[in-house]
């Protein structure tokens, strides 16, 4: 497999991907504009050291960015050389693992996106699956808690090349430089490398398989996932089973304070919430609204602004900038009674801002959605 990685066409594709993203420098201070000259002089030496198992990645530059809740999130910026090599490895790995991933995993995959995940959740809810098991993985899961042994075992199922596995292990174990201090890493996949979304999907694909085995209705986008049930009893049983699977099989902790069983009006997914349609004859049907105060959405906005500056690498990494659908008016149309009395009643029931007429008749669109105040 290492020869597929070092294939000139694959390496050239990885180089242009890094160049097009205009990433910032890592600990060595080398920018993407200097990468071509560096490769011209040192390509043969780099390839020889990889084939001989002697290649040693440089440390990762750790940068803390603020989150909406006042805390910080740690991003790791590899050097441009390591980013290009990781991109090359990721391109080969993705081709091997993509067919293994389940259909309802929507994060960082070709022809999948956050909008499709949100619409699938709405489809489940409108089909009667209105008891939602909402499980929140602890944010440090992505940074500090991923077990390297489990991850490498999962990789070994499809990747038998010892040189490739050794190279990935070295990237996982590379120290991180935070405020001038090098810190060892024995767990975790730091955000910021081209490989991190793919490795996270490989790890959480085991969760997808378990949910498929149990025949569950679910949606997963990266580490955000939810399960849809028809009764509270079933939802509680499934929630406990999945909690034990994450804890015992994958050794991933969950945030028990933020996890629970939700009704549609108290559930949010990727920056969207749900409200009843209030259309006569449509009982139990819900439509999408944009959440005004949403931790996932706002924290990702802050992170994406920073990612835009450092230009996270790889085609899948750019999908982070679209972690939630951008068209805030999508699927928000509704039909109101023609009378002023009917519209006034809806304004009282739906305190979600002004309505503006979009065409002749009664079709209207929410223009300033605010926080949903309904209780299950």
């Amino acid at each position: 497999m290492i020869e597929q990685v070092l294939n000139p066409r694959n390496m050239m594709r990885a180089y242009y991907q890094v160049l097009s993203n205009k990433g910032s420098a890592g600990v060595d201070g080398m920018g993407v504009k200097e990468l071509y000259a560096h490769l011209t002089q040192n390509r043969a030496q780099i390839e020889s050291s990889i084939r001989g198992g002697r290649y040693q990645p440089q440390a990762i530059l750790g940068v803390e960015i603020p989150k909406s809740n006042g805390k910080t999130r740690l991003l790791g910026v590899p050097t441009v050389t390591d980013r290009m090599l990781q991109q090359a490895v990721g391109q080969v790995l993705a081709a091997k693992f993509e067919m293994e991933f389940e259909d309802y995993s929507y994060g960082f995959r070709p022809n999948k996106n956050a909008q499709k995940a949100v619409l699938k959740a709405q489809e489940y809810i409108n089909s009667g699956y209105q008891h939602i098991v909402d499980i929140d993985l602890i944010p440090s899961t992505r940074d500090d808690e991923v077990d390297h042994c489990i991850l490498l075992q999962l990789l070994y199922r499809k990747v038998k090349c010892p040189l490739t596995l050794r190279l990935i292990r070295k990237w996982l174990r590379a120290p991180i430089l935070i405020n001038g201090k090098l810190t060892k890493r024995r767990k975790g996949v730091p955000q910021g490398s081209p490989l991190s979304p793919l490795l996270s999907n490989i790890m959480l694909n085991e969760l997808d398989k378990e949910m498929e085995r149990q025949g569950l209705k679910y949606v997963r986008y990266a580490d955000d996932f939810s399960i849809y049930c028809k009764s509270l009893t079933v939802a509680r049983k499934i929630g406990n089973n999945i909690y034990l699977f994450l804890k015992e099989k994958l050794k991933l902790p969950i945030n028990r304070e933020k996890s629970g069983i939700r009704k549609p009006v108290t559930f949010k997914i990727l920056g969207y919430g749900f409200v009843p349609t209030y259309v006569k004859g449509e009982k139990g049907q819900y439509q999408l609204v944009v959440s005004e105060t949403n931790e996932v959405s706002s924290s990702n906005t802050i992170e994406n602004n920073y990612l835009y500056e450092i230009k996270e690498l790889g085609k899948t990494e750019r999908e982070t900038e679209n972690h939630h659908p951008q068209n805030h008016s999508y699927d928000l149309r509704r039909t109101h009674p023609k009378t002023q009395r009917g519209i006034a009643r809806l304004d009282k029931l739906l305190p979600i801002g002004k309505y503006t007429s979009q065409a002749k008749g009664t079709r209207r669109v929410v223009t300033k959605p605010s926080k949903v105040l309904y209780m299950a």
Side-chain angles (χ1 to χ4, degrees):
M1 178 177 169
I2 198 66
E3 293 303 323
Q4 290 179 272
V5 172
L6 297 178
N7 180 279
R9 181 175 296 180
N10 186 59
M11 292 290 286
M12 186 62 66
R13 179 183 165 199
Y15 166 76
Y16 280 117
Q17 190 65 62
V18 171
L19 188 65
S20 66
N21 282 275
K22 302 178 181 179
S24 69
V27 294
D28 60 354
M30 183 192 301
V32 292
K33 293 182 179 180
E34 305 169 63
L35 181 58
Y36 181 81
H38 175 73
L39 292 176
T40 302
Q41 296 180 358
N42 301 283
R43 177 181 173 182
Q45 180 183 351
I46 292 172
E47 291 185 357
S48 175
S49 63
I50 291 175
R51 288 189 175 97
R54 301 184 305 275
Y55 181 80
Q56 188 63 41
Q58 296 191 58
I60 300 170
L61 179 62
V63 181
E64 293 182 340
I65 61 172
K67 295 172 61 177
S68 60
N69 58 5
K71 298 181 180 179
T72 59
R73 174 170 293 171
L74 183 65
L75 293 182
V77 184
T79 63
V80 289
T81 303
D82 282 323
R83 288 184 343 225
M84 189 198 72
L85 293 174
Q86 288 186 32
Q87 180 69 30
V89 171
Q91 289 167 178
V92 177
L93 282 180
K96 291 183 174 292
F97 279 94
E98 178 59 32
M99 297 302 295
E100 299 290 322
F101 293 153
E102 302 295 340
D103 292 338
Y104 303 117
S105 168
Y106 293 91
F108 309 110
R109 295 180 58 195
N111 302 317
K112 301 281 188 178
N113 54 44
Q115 187 178 49
K116 290 182 179 180
V118 171
L119 293 178
K120 191 64 181 179
Q122 184 188 28
E123 178 186 324
Y124 285 147
I125 290 172
N126 288 339
S127 298
Y129 295 88
Q130 297 182 359
H131 295 271
I132 305 160
V133 181
D134 184 16
I135 298 181
D136 181 66
L137 291 175
I138 293 178
S140 62
T141 294
R142 298 174 299 220
D143 302 328
D144 304 321
E145 299 298 331
V146 173
D147 190 292
H148 289 174
C149 292
I150 295 177
L151 180 56
L152 289 171
Q153 287 174 3
L154 295 175
L155 285 168
Y156 183 70
R157 294 178 183 179
K158 300 285 290 184
V159 181
K160 303 300 182 182
C161 175
L163 290 176
T164 304
L165 289 173
R166 187 180 304 170
L167 189 59
I168 294 173
R169 184 178 182 274
K170 288 180 178 180
W171 281 323
L172 291 173
R173 293 293 183 95
I176 187 166
L177 182 67
I178 305 175
N179 297 325
K181 182 179 179 181
L182 278 176
T183 304
K184 291 182 179 180
R185 296 173 49 249
R186 292 295 178 262
K187 286 184 178 182
V189 181
Q191 293 183 341
S193 73
L195 272 178
S196 62
L198 177 60
L199 295 180
S200 295
N201 269 340
I202 290 171
M203 173 70 86
L204 292 176
N205 187 50
E206 297 303 301
L207 172 65
D208 297 343
K209 289 181 179 179
E210 176 63 18
M211 292 190 288
E212 288 283 347
R213 187 186 67 80
Q214 296 185 28
L216 305 180
K217 306 288 186 182
Y218 72 95
V219 170
R220 183 175 70 81
Y221 186 95
D223 63 335
D224 296 324
F225 72 97
S226 47
I227 307 168
Y228 302 80
C229 311
K230 285 197 171 183
S231 72
L232 181 60
T233 302
V234 172
R236 286 174 176 168
K237 181 179 179 181
I238 289 173
N240 289 334
N241 290 341
I242 296 300
Y243 167 75
L244 292 175
F245 178 83
L246 289 169
K247 180 180 178 181
E248 296 175 0
K249 300 295 184 180
L250 299 183
K251 298 181 181 179
L252 296 177
I254 70 169
N255 189 334
R256 302 184 70 173
E257 294 181 358
K258 293 185 178 181
S259 302
I261 299 173
R262 321 283 186 211
K263 294 290 285 182
V265 291
T266 60
F267 174 61
K268 294 182 179 66
I269 177 172
L270 302 175
Y272 278 79
F274 298 87
V275 296
T277 57
Y278 292 104
V279 175
K280 186 176 180 179
E282 290 188 0
K283 185 177 180 181
Q285 299 297 295
Y286 292 82
Q287 59 194 354
L288 299 171
V289 292
V290 181
S291 301
E292 184 181 70
T293 56
N294 184 280
E295 181 179 346
V296 173
S297 176
S298 57
S299 65
N300 280 332
T301 300
I302 295 172
E303 179 178 348
N304 291 335
N305 288 339
Y306 182 79
L307 293 181
Y308 181 78
E309 296 298 328
I310 68 172
K311 299 291 185 181
E312 295 294 340
L313 305 174
K315 179 182 291 186
T316 58
E317 203 70 357
R318 291 202 308 272
E319 191 178 341
T320 306
E321 298 180 5
N322 295 319
H323 188 64
H324 55 79
Q326 293 180 347
N327 185 358
H328 289 180
S329 295
Y330 192 87
D331 201 34
L332 297 180
R333 295 186 177 184
R334 65 188 72 199
T335 303
H336 294 320
K338 292 184 178 180
T339 65
Q340 289 295 326
R341 179 182 175 184
I343 294 176
R345 188 174 73 86
L346 283 174
D347 287 342
K348 183 177 179 181
L349 289 173
L350 284 171
I352 51 178
K354 299 178 180 178
Y355 300 104
T356 58
S357 178
Q358 298 297 307
K360 292 182 179 180
T362 59
R363 180 165 291 183
R364 302 174 187 275
V365 174
V366 178
T367 58
K368 294 183 180 180
S370 60
K371 186 175 181 180
V372 178
L373 302 178
Y374 299 99
M375 297 298 293

